[in-house]
Every structure is written in structure tokens, then in C-alpha cells.
Amino acid sequence: MLKIKNLYVNIKNNLIIKGLNLRIKRNEIHVIMGPNGSGKSTLSYIISGKPKYRIDKGKIYFNKKLINNLSPYEISKLGIFLSFQYPIEINGITMYSFLKNILKNKYNNKELLKKIYKVCNKLKIKKNYLYRNFNVGFSGGEKKKNEILQMLLLKPKLVILDEIDSGLDIDTLNIIFKNINKYKNKNKCSLIIITHNTNIIKYIKPNYVHILYNGKIIKSSNKKIIKNIEKYGYKNIINNEIK
Ligand code: ADP
Ligand code: MG
């Protein structure tokens, strides 16, 4: 479904991604971990087409289509969804009008409201939030729930979750992952989960765990590697790479 070949990404003349390869099939869960500043968020932005991020070299294919030069809108229409590490606040736009807009009049008002209410219930989001300015004054957990709300409404094929679990209380974590798992099992979508949380395997079952360091995936393994990271940190894995 997603194929990244020998990717090099440049931000303001700094090489951030340096020869990254990744292949993701349908219905797979890939966890990406790695020290701060390794390039995890950059990778998620570049897949989603963030403007001004320059691909120096390499190719990104989604369902065999080259997406290197597509706009975020075009990439999103193909079925790729990114949940931001730091969701932004938008003053002057209510959550409802935002959601209506991203769904591009797919439903009439009555249908849309019914759909949104249904998803709000699943995520335990109070309905009055729909009439508040988008994310403005929301708590960290409420912003993350809003990301999952958009995901469930847009029905993407590839979901990228950039630290969806950072700073969440245990109940919010449970609600969010229950909904992510349900969506994944029903739609057989693929997931890229970027996290620092070594407890992640309590919430999802990854097929692969990748360690991203200094702009490259230096190790791909299964969930067992997480125990190792919990015990020793990234030191061993990084040292083996440097050797
Ligand atoms: P991670 O998500 O793995 O913590 P990021 O992808 O956010 O790391 O960042 C990787 C590196 O790229 C960091 O050193 C960061 O400072 C740098 N970087 C990211 N965005 C920019 C930018 N807009 N301008 C300059 N440097 C950037
Ligand atoms: Mg990040």
C-alpha cells in the first residue's frame, strides 16, 4: 500500500531524512519509535505532502501511485490521514463547520449531524464542542479525540498517528485506542503509529516496530524490541548501527 524508497528530505538546507525505506501492506500496523529529533514527525509530514518540505531524492508510492509531488489535499483524497502531534487551534471556525468542510458536502446537513453525533458518542465528545471554535481552549486529550473524530469521518486507508498517546489520561487512551482498533478491524486499513510509549502494546498489536534514528530506520523488528528499549533505552540499537 505504501512504499518509500531511499528517501532524502531537506528542510531549510538541513538534511533531516537520510535514506529511509519503508513498506507497508494493507491491514498492517507499524509502530515507529526513536529518540527526539530523529525525523519521525518529518516523515509523517512528508508522506502527507506538507508544503516547503523538499524531497531531495527517493520516491513515495501509495497504491503504486507516485505521490511525491501531490498536494496535501490530493494525498488526503487518496485516503491518507495524518493525526498531528500538535493539533492546531483555529479561531473563527467552529468544529462543526470544519467537519462539514472536510467532508465536502458528502452528506446533507441532517445526515451529517447524525453521523457526527454518532462518532462523538463513541469518543465521548460532548455535542456542544461542535459549536466551539476548532480546538480553541481544548485540553490536550480533547484535541487528540478531535483528530480521531476526523479520522472516523474521513474513513482513510492509511492512518498516521503522530504521538496520539502523548499526555493522555488512561480513560482517554482507552477510548481512543478502542476506536482505532475497531476502525482498523472493520476497514482493514493500515496504521503508522509514532510513539514514545513502551506500553503501546497494551493498546494495539503491531506487526512491525521500527526504530528511526538520525533520519533513517536503523532497525525493524517485532513488538519484542519494545521490552529491550524499555530496559536499555536506544543506546544498544544505536551503537550496533554505528559499528
Ligand atoms: P521527531 O518527531 O522524531 O522528534 P522531527 O521530525 O520533529 O523529530 O524533527 C527532526 C529534526 O528536524 C529536528 O532536528 C528538528 O529540529 C528538525 N526540523 C524539523 N522541522 C524543522 C524546520 N521547520 N526547520 C528547521 N529544522 C526543522
Ligand atoms: Mg515528533
Side-chain angles (χ1 to χ4, degrees):
M1 175 174 267
L2 182 79
K3 188 162 131 190
I4 302 181
K5 269 176 81 178
N6 199 26
L7 186 70
Y8 286 78
V9 176
N10 206 308
I11 310 172
K12 298 181 183 156
N13 283 328
N14 294 309
L15 203 52
I16 308 292
I17 302 289
K18 308 171 188 175
L20 186 140
N21 293 289
L22 185 64
R23 271 164 180 259
I24 296 180
K25 295 202 185 96
R26 184 163 183 237
N27 200 23
E28 282 182 350
I29 301 181
H30 290 240
V31 162
I32 298 183
M33 301 181 83
N36 295 121
S38 294
K40 303 182 296 297
S41 294
T42 304
L43 174 65
S44 70
Y45 284 143
I46 207 84
I47 298 171
S48 323
K50 182 165 168 151
K52 293 190 185 145
Y53 277 38
R54 204 175 80 220
I55 295 182
D56 270 4
K57 212 170 120 182
K59 292 192 163 69
I60 307 175
Y61 296 95
F62 183 62
N63 287 332
K64 302 210 164 83
K65 184 182 166 77
L66 186 70
I67 62 166
N68 280 34
N69 297 313
L70 299 188
S71 69
Y73 176 61
E74 289 166 319
I75 291 172
S76 150
K77 270 207 309 193
L78 292 176
I80 297 181
F81 175 84
L82 167 64
S83 152
F84 293 117
Q85 181 173 1
Y86 304 111
I88 55 160
E89 302 186 351
I90 312 175
N91 241 318
I93 296 178
T94 64
M95 202 160 132
Y96 178 71
S97 65
F98 181 91
L99 295 173
K100 193 172 148 93
N101 212 283
I102 60 171
L103 292 166
K104 290 277 172 222
N105 305 319
K106 230 165 109 187
Y107 310 101
N108 67 37
N109 279 346
K110 204 175 147 205
E111 281 173 338
L112 178 69
L113 211 54
K114 215 174 127 188
K115 283 227 176 281
I116 295 177
Y117 281 172
K118 204 172 143 193
V119 182
C120 280
N121 275 337
K122 287 187 193 169
L123 291 167
K124 298 201 166 65
I125 297 173
K126 291 199 193 96
K127 296 196 178 68
N128 63 324
Y129 277 61
L130 292 170
Y131 306 101
R132 284 175 60 176
N133 280 327
F134 188 81
N135 275 338
V136 176
F138 285 25
S139 72
E142 289 168 345
K143 286 179 181 168
K144 294 297 171 94
K145 277 190 185 176
N146 189 3
E147 297 287 283
I148 301 304
L149 172 67
Q150 293 162 52
M151 178 194 98
L152 293 176
L153 290 167
L154 284 169
K155 299 195 165 61
K157 298 181 182 116
L158 171 67
V159 176
I160 308 170
L161 302 171
D162 191 359
E163 296 203 28
I164 189 75
D165 49 357
S166 289
L168 297 189
D169 70 60
I170 183 89
D171 295 325
T172 309
L173 258 181
N174 279 322
I175 291 171
I176 280 186
F177 277 106
K178 188 175 141 199
N179 279 283
I180 291 168
N181 280 315
K182 236 178 161 171
Y183 177 77
K184 191 256 179 191
N185 292 335
K186 189 168 166 213
N187 297 282
K188 311 281 176 236
C189 71
S190 310
L191 284 161
I192 298 177
I193 299 178
I194 296 169
T195 185
H196 289 298
N197 182 2
T198 49
N199 277 324
I200 189 74
I201 38 182
K202 276 195 195 155
Y203 299 97
I204 43 114
K205 303 271 164 286
N207 302 92
Y208 298 93
V209 179
H210 308 282
I211 309 303
L212 202 139
Y213 173 69
N214 197 15
K216 255 181 17 189
I217 289 177
I218 58 168
K219 192 160 178 77
S220 294
S221 180
N222 55 27
K223 64 178 185 188
K224 284 185 194 145
I225 197 172
I226 296 180
K227 281 267 159 283
N228 187 289
I229 293 166
E230 197 166 27
K231 223 165 154 185
Y232 304 107
Y234 292 113
K235 209 171 53 223
N236 290 355
I237 300 166
I238 293 170
N239 286 343
N240 278 339
E241 161 66 8
I242 292 165
K243 253 188 251 163

